[in-house]
Structures are given as structure tokens and as C-alpha cells.
């Protein structure tokens, strides 16, 4: 081969490296700008556009001839411009927040390796990391010497795999022969505040959504253990096969912690699988101050923990832990010989429902290495401090009404109560007056939510909820998670609500949004003029804002 041809070969072989060098250096600038943009005072979390408008702003056409690196950067800029900037502390909409620089680097490492962690021989280091991190987490939860786990693509899938594992372990004949001839209904218990993935799993496993029994919650959103036991006994009397309890450590809306210790004891007494969905609250194990909230975790057969929520690890990073780390392979393996060869002990994919899998564990591994337990502890404790600060702000302001007087976790939930509007504390849930109020409050919340979204400074979600047997109208749920949240942002947040709430009642009246026969002029649920609003009574489930909500 001539010298000239040889050097051309080398350039071709190195082409990827040259292209990566170019892309990474250009991307680096975009990334740094994006973070800086998110942290500028007054910056928007999102330049919100409805879908039809957004379609005209992003080039969605797929070309025959590629646009090349030079064409790519403007496209990436546009993607960043119209996406939600989760580096902005005003992103308080979901249980995850922005990630951190080391998270980005780890994602790049995963992309660089393009490794699949289903079998050991294609991802040896990553497999050992996954085993090691899972074992460490499970041990910290006190799940015992044999404990360990695997990662799954998210909390919902982890819950699904937990239930599948339990069912296959407890009823191996269903695994092979199916459910048709089993003869008994399989029953699952979860609380009315539990995540919907438990019902979805009931749907996916053929149990039927009706057989996922919702155990009522108390006035703080925690599963009632007296009700749980009553429902288990009833199920046994009906000759059903109750087999799985899902307790939640940190519910999605209120952040409540089910009493794990008591539930664990009940599970043991009736020989049910005890699963803890700690997708949100499980990470509290890193905080000495708040770990007591997940006391009883050690009793769990399986436990889910999502570092991509409270710890800022990039999405997705979810661990499904078990008191017996072999249980996943034992319950779910099909021993597909073409993939999992003779000694598949280290082939983690064999224990899951999937085949190829992302090596997500390394994201927590690297984060943990760089920050240490102490870093996560500080992150969690800062978040609790900020949640308390916001709670106090809200309680002092007559425009707001807390849903729970003392939030158990990092969600601060409240209604924004416009002038003249009242909170119906003591009304019976069936009464027409309560229903009217609920509908009106719902309209108010949704209208303010729309306005906040259009203003773009803060992104905050809302939710209705059934609490202690009463259906509450939608309220705002502010999630305090990002370490960049500080007192100043929270002061701004309250002002933003006041701005968005300005004139909301008048707008709804003028636009005749208060429909369904609600007689707004009679003012069933709010006062015309400056009358007293509210009363001293408190829906037993509801906290009160300071004072009488008097204007
Ligand atoms: C308690 C709980 N479990 C499970 C999930 C689902 O987690 P993921 O979105 O990672 O699937 C959530 C999501 O918010 C949750 O709050």
C-alpha cells in the first residue's frame, strides 16, 4: 500500500474520533449556555408553545440527504430553546429535578461504551457495579445479608417486576400454565394514595384492575393498617388468594409514608409478599435526620428506590432491591440458551422481563463516588429546609390554604384561594354546596395553572385527591427537590401565584366558566363583597391558613 493511501486509511478510521471531537466541543458550549440560561434571575423554565404552534418552530422533516454537523447545531439550539429547562429552580412540577454535571458526564460515558448490561461478558465492569451498588443500597436499608438487586427502566417498571417476581415465586404453576385454571382470584393491596403503576401491573399480569384493592388512607394520606387487615381477612374469607401488599414510602401527591413496620408485620402474619414502593421516599436512607420516615424497610421482600428523583441522578435510574438477590433469576428466568449461557449468575438480564438493558447503576455509582453519602444527605436536608420555608410562607398568606398543615415530605400542597372565595371546611361531601365549591375550586386551580404555564417562570402541577373518604378539588403540588432552590425563589414563587391569581374569579365569571347550573350570583361558595369567608371549622383532613381568610 502506498504511503498516501495508508494515511487516508488512518483518517477514515479516526473519522469518528474527529467528528466526536467537533461535536463535543460545539455541544459543550450549548450545554454550558443552557445551564447558565436556567440560572439567570427571572429566566423562564419554558417558553411554552401549544403543540400546533411548536410544530411550526421545530424542523420535524426527516431528510433524504443528511444535514451534517453544521446543520445540526441550529437544530439542537432550537430543541434546547423550546424544551423545559430543568436546571431552572422554578421547575417544581415533577418529583425529579434537573440533574448535575457529573450526571451528564456519566450519560456520555454510557453512550460512549454503548454497553448492554444483559449479560456479563458484554458489560463486565458495569455488571459488577450494578451488583455492588444494589447490595450496598439493600444493606443500608437493612434488608439482610442475602439482599441485592437490579436496575429497571423507572419506578413503574420496578413495581411491575416486583409483582411479577412475587407471583412467579409464590405461584410457579401460573408462570407455566397461566391463570385460567388456577381457580382463585389473586388479590393485591395498595393504598388509595399509591402509584397507578400497581393497577397497571394488575392489568398487565392479567389479575384485573378490580383485584387491586385500594386500602383507604387516614387524614394524612397514609395507608390505614386496620383497614388493610380487615380487607385481607375479608379476601381470605372469600377464598381468594391475597398475595401482595404494596406500601408506599413517599406517595406521589402528598408525599405520605405508609407505616412500613406495621404493614410488614401484617404481611408476615398473613404470609403475603411485602413490597415497598420507595421510588420517591426511599432515597431518604441517605439522611440521618429523615431516615426514620422509612423505618420498617428492612422487613420488605422487595423495595424500589429511584435515585433519578430525589438524588438528581439522570433519568432513568431505578433500583429494585430484594431481601434475596437471587429471587429475580429464580422467579423469572427462562434460561434462553442463545443469550444466557451455562453460568448466568452474573447475567442480570435473565431476571427481568426485558432483554437489552441500560447500565443505569453506574449513574448512581459515579454520583455517589463524587458526592459521597454526605453530599446526598446535605441535598436532602436542604430540600426539607426549603419545604419548611415555603410551608411557612404559604401559611402566613391568606391567599393560600394548605392541604396538610405539616407536609410529611417535600411536596408542599395548597389551594390558591382568590379574594371572595372560601374554603368549605365542614360541609358534608355529598352536599350540593360542597360539590359546587369543588367544581369552582377546580376551575380556579386549572385557570391559575394555565396562567402560570403561560408566564413560564415556574412549572408546577396540580392534582385532585381522595383523602380520608373525601374528594378534594385539585390543588397545587410544589415539589422541592433541586439544590438550587433558595428562599429568594420561594418568595418569588408566592408573588408569581399572586400575580397569576389576580382577577381569576372575575375572569371565570365574565367568561361564564362557572357552569353546570352553579348559580354564581347567589355566591354559594364565595362572597360578593367583603363578607367573612370560610369559618373556623376545619375539614378534619385540611389544615387552615392563618386567620379567617378575611379580606
Ligand atoms: C410513588 C411512585 N412510584 C412510582 C413512580 C413511577 O416512577 P417512574 O416515573 O420512574 O416510572 C412514581 C412517579 O412519580 C411515584 O411517585
Amino acid at each position: 500500500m502506498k504511503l498516501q493511501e495508508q494515511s487516508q486509511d488512518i483518517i477514515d478510521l479516526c473519522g469518528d474520533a474527529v467528528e466526536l471531537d467537533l461535536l463535543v466541543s460545539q455541544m459543550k458550549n450549548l450545554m454550558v449556555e443552557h445551564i447558565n440560561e436556567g440560572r439567570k434571575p427571572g429566566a423562564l423554565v419554558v417558553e411554552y408553545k401549544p403543540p400546533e404552534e411548536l410544530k411550526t418552530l421545530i424542523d420535524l422533516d426527516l431528510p433524504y440527504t443528511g444535514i451534517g454537523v453544521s446543520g445540526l447545531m441550529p437544530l439542537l439550539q432550537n430543541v434546547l430553546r423550546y424544551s423545559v429547562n430543568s436546571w431552572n429552580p422554578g421547575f417544581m412540577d415533577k418529583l425529579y429535578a434537573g440533574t448535575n454535571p457529573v450526571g451528564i458526564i456519566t450519560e456520555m460515558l454510557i453512550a460512549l461504551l454503548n454497553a448492554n448490561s444483559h449479560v456479563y461478558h458484554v458489560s463486565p465492569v458495569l455488571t459488577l457495579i450494578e451488583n455492588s451498588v444494589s447490595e450496598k443500597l439493600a444493606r443500608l436499608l437493612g434488608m439482610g445479608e442475602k439482599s441485592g438487586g437490579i436496575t429497571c427502566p423507572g419506578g413503574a417498571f420496578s413495581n411491575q417486576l416486583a409483582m411479577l417476581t412475587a407471583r412467579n415465586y409464590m405461584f410457579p404453576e401460573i408462570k407455566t400454565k397461566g391463570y385460567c385454571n388456577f381457580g382463585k382470584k389473586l388479590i393485591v393491596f395498595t393504598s388509595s394514595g399509591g402509584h397507578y403503576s400497581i393497577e397497571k401491573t394488575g392489568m398487565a399480569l392479567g389479575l384485573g384492575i378490580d383485584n387491586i384493592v385500594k386500602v383507604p388512607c387516614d387524614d394524612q394520606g397514609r395507608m390505614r393498617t386496620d383497614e388493610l387487615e380487615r380487607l385481607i381477612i375479608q379476601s381470605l374469607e372469600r377464598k381468594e388468594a391475597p398475595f401482595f401488599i404494596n406500601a408506599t414510602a413517599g406517595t406521589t401527591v402528598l408525599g405520605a409514608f405508609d407505616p412500613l413496620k406495621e404493614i410488614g408485620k401484617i404481611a408476615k402474619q398473613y404470609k403475603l409478599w411485602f413490597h415497598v414502593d420507595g421510588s420517591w421516599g426511599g432515597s431518604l436512607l441517605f439522611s440521618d435526620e429523615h431516615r426514620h420516615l422509612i423505618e420498617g424497610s428492612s422487613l420488605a421482600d422487595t423495595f424500589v428506590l429511584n435515585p433519578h428523583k430525589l438524588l438528581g441522578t439522570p433519568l432513568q435510574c431505578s433500583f429494585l432491591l430484594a431481601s434475596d438477590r437471587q429471587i429475580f433469576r429464580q422467579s423469572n428466568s427462562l434460561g434462553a440458551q442463545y443469550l444466557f449461557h451455562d453460568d448466568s449468575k452474573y447475567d442480570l438480564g435473565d431476571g427481568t422481563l426485558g432483554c437489552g438493558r441500560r447500565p443505569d447503576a453506574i449513574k448512581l455509582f459515579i454520583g455517589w463516588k463524587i458526592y459521597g453519602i454526605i453530599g446526598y444527605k446535605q441535598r436532602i436536608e436542604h430540600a426539607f429546609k426549603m419545604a419548611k420555608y415555603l410551608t411557612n410562607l404559604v401559611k402566613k398568606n391568606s391567599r393560600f390554604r394548605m392541604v396538610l398543615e405539616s407536609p410529611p415530605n417535600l411536596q408542599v400542597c395548597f389551594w390558591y384561594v382568590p379574594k371572595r372565595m372560601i374554603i368549605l371546611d365542614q360541609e358534608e361531601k355529598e352536599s350540593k354546596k360542597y360539590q359546587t365549591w369543588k367544581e369552582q375550586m377546580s376551575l380556579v386551580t386549572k385557570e391559575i395553572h394555565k396562567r402560570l404555564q403561560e408566564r413560564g417562570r415556574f412549572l408546577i402541577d396540580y392534582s385532585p385527591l381522595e383523602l380520608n373518604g373525601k374528594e378534594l378539588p385539585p390543588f397545587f403540588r410544589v415539589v422541592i427537590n433541586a439544590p438550587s432552590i433558595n428562599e429568594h425563589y420561594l418568595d418569588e414563587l408566592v408573588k408569581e401565584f399572586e400575580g397569576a391569581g389576580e382577577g381569576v374569579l372575575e375572569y371565570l365569571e365574565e367568561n361564564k366558566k362557572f357552569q353546570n347550573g352553579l348559580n354564581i350570583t347567589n355566591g354559594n361558595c364565595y362572597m360578593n363583597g367583603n363578607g367573612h369567608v370560610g369559618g373556623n371549622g376545619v375539614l378534619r383532613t385540611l389544615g387552615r391558613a392563618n386567620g379567617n381568610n378575611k379580606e
Side-chain angles (χ1 to χ4, degrees):
M1 205 183 266
K2 286 186 197 144
L3 194 64
Q4 205 185 347
E5 281 173 2
Q6 261 184 358
S7 54
Q8 184 58 44
D9 272 359
I10 291 167
I11 290 174
D12 286 347
L13 280 173
C14 294
D16 283 341
V18 173
E19 190 176 326
L20 181 68
D21 193 19
L22 182 66
L23 282 171
V24 168
S25 53
Q26 293 191 4
M27 191 62 201
K28 181 189 148 204
N29 295 336
L30 285 189
M31 291 195 293
V32 171
E33 262 174 44
H34 185 70
I35 299 177
N36 281 336
E37 192 54 44
R39 296 284 162 81
K40 271 190 199 148
L44 300 186
V45 182
V46 59
E47 200 175 324
Y48 179 78
K49 306 283 175 204
E52 289 312 316
E53 192 183 342
L54 192 55
K55 280 181 200 166
T56 66
L57 297 169
I58 304 283
D59 180 8
L60 296 170
D61 276 348
L62 290 168
Y64 181 70
T65 305
I67 56 176
V69 173
S70 57
L72 194 60
M73 284 304 140
L75 175 65
L76 296 184
Q77 265 169 333
N78 237 11
V79 169
L80 289 173
R81 174 171 174 185
Y82 293 110
S83 292
V84 167
N85 191 332
S86 58
W87 295 86
N88 187 320
F91 177 65
M92 299 166 166
D93 192 283
K94 295 282 171 271
L95 299 180
Y96 69 92
T99 183
N100 40 46
V102 73
I104 309 265
I105 294 301
T106 317
E107 283 288 3
M108 286 168 83
L109 182 69
I110 291 174
L112 182 70
L113 292 173
N114 199 31
N116 195 329
S117 62
H118 50 5
V119 292
Y120 176 80
H121 73 269
V122 297
S123 56
V125 179
L126 298 167
T127 301
L128 293 188
I129 286 178
E130 183 165 338
N131 277 342
S132 154
V133 180
S134 305
E135 282 180 24
K136 179 79 179 172
L137 287 171
R139 304 290 156 85
L140 283 176
L141 286 166
M143 292 175 80
E145 278 304 296
K146 289 198 303 179
S147 61
I150 48 176
T151 59
C152 295
F157 276 102
S158 304
N159 285 335
Q160 186 184 83
L161 188 63
M163 202 192 294
L164 176 77
T165 303
R167 193 206 62 183
N168 286 351
Y169 179 77
M170 293 171 77
F171 309 104
E173 64 275 32
I174 299 183
K175 179 179 168 186
T176 47
K177 306 213 178 313
Y179 194 28
C180 294
N181 298 320
F182 182 67
K184 277 184 173 184
K185 270 192 201 172
L186 293 185
I187 303 292
V188 167
F189 302 92
T190 186
S191 86
S192 57
H195 193 256
Y196 71 81
S197 52
I198 298 298
E199 285 152 284
K200 284 236 169 164
T201 302
M203 189 170 94
L205 297 189
L207 269 57
I209 298 166
D210 292 350
N211 296 314
I212 309 298
V213 177
K214 297 276 193 74
V215 182
C217 288
D218 66 12
D219 60 3
Q220 300 297 304
R222 299 170 296 211
M223 184 191 279
R224 279 182 50 187
T225 48
D226 56 337
E227 282 292 306
L228 171 66
E229 194 162 10
R230 185 182 67 77
L231 289 163
I232 294 173
I233 292 169
Q234 260 185 12
S235 171
L236 288 168
E237 283 169 358
R238 283 196 294 263
K239 308 267 180 264
E240 296 169 344
F243 80 107
F244 188 92
I245 304 174
N246 171 60
T248 311
T251 58
T252 311
V253 178
L254 290 179
F257 293 89
D258 289 342
L260 303 185
K261 239 172 138 177
E262 286 173 53
I263 298 173
K265 277 188 201 149
I266 293 174
K268 192 159 185 205
Q269 184 182 349
Y270 293 94
K271 299 190 173 54
L272 272 62
W273 191 276
F274 180 35
H275 173 66
V276 178
D277 179 2
S279 291
W280 172 228
S283 299
L284 294 187
L285 77 91
F286 288 99
S287 157
D288 304 329
E289 211 177 306
H290 299 97
R291 193 181 304 124
H292 67 94
L293 291 166
I294 54 169
E295 207 191 341
S297 309
S298 58
L299 303 175
D301 293 303
T302 40
F303 191 106
V304 178
L305 183 155
N306 290 175
H308 72 234
K309 293 190 168 74
L310 192 47
L311 303 183
T313 311
L315 282 154
Q316 306 244 18
C317 186
S318 173
F319 286 84
L320 173 59
L321 309 169
S323 55
D324 176 359
R325 62 180 171 274
Q326 300 299 344
I327 196 81
F328 302 113
R329 273 183 56 242
Q330 198 180 327
S331 293
N332 305 323
S333 171
L334 285 183
Q337 291 286 322
Y338 51 84
L339 183 59
F340 306 108
H341 304 318
D342 298 336
D343 182 15
S344 63
K345 204 169 84 185
Y346 282 92
D347 294 346
L348 300 177
D350 204 17
T352 73
L353 260 188
C355 176
R357 34 199 312 275
R358 270 176 65 84
D360 288 327
I362 192 174
K363 294 188 272 186
L364 179 61
F365 178 74
I366 302 280
W368 194 330
K369 283 273 186 199
I370 198 165
Y371 298 120
I373 289 186
I374 192 102
Y376 289 135
K377 167 183 147 70
Q378 282 165 357
R379 178 186 169 113
I380 292 166
E381 285 162 15
H382 173 74
F384 271 95
K385 194 168 147 215
M386 289 300 104
K388 197 163 183 193
Y389 181 83
L390 179 62
T391 302
N392 289 339
L393 277 187
V394 164
K395 280 192 190 172
K396 276 199 297 224
N397 189 319
S398 63
R399 291 277 64 79
F400 295 88
R401 180 62 170 267
M402 294 290 288
V403 175
L404 295 181
E405 186 77 7
S406 304
N409 204 338
L410 297 169
Q411 293 102 308
V412 182
C413 297
F414 53 77
W415 288 276
Y416 180 85
V417 190
K419 287 178 189 166
R420 296 191 289 127
M421 192 95 189
I422 61 171
I423 288 284
L424 280 193
D425 289 324
Q426 290 186 323
E427 212 54 50
E428 287 303 314
K429 67 174 177 182
E430 294 81 16
S431 82
K432 186 162 182 299
K433 205 166 167 188
Y434 185 77
Q435 294 304 325
T436 305
W437 171 73
K438 213 169 66 158
E439 284 184 44
Q440 290 180 341
M441 236 8 242
S442 166
L443 288 167
V444 166
T445 300
K446 288 178 186 174
E447 176 59 26
I448 295 175
H449 178 260
K450 183 168 145 264
R451 292 177 181 198
L452 286 173
Q453 187 161 316
E454 284 162 2
R455 292 159 78 104
R457 286 273 331 267
F458 291 89
L459 216 56
I460 284 151
D461 212 354
Y462 66 85
S463 174
L465 191 76
E466 192 190 311
L467 191 62
N468 207 15
K470 199 149 186 167
E471 281 170 28
L472 304 181
F475 50 82
F476 291 100
R477 179 197 66 168
V478 176
V479 182
I480 306 291
N481 182 349
S484 52
I485 293 175
N486 59 25
E487 287 88 349
H488 168 71
Y489 271 103
L490 298 175
D491 293 340
E492 290 291 301
L493 171 68
V494 168
K495 284 189 208 142
E496 191 68 9
F497 263 99
E498 288 172 334
E502 184 71 39
V504 70
L505 211 58
E506 292 73 14
Y507 167 83
L508 291 168
E509 286 170 348
E510 275 162 29
N511 289 279
K512 307 210 178 339
K513 301 266 180 181
F514 282 1
Q515 293 163 352
N516 298 336
L518 306 184
N519 185 346
I520 57 164
T521 49
N522 282 345
N524 261 345
C525 297
Y526 57 91
M527 306 297 291
N528 292 321
N530 280 337
H532 285 266
V533 287
N536 274 328
V538 184
L539 250 184
R540 262 200 293 274
T541 55
L542 299 181
R544 280 196 56 77
N546 262 7
N548 236 350
N549 230 357
K550 232 189 238 184
E551 257 324 295

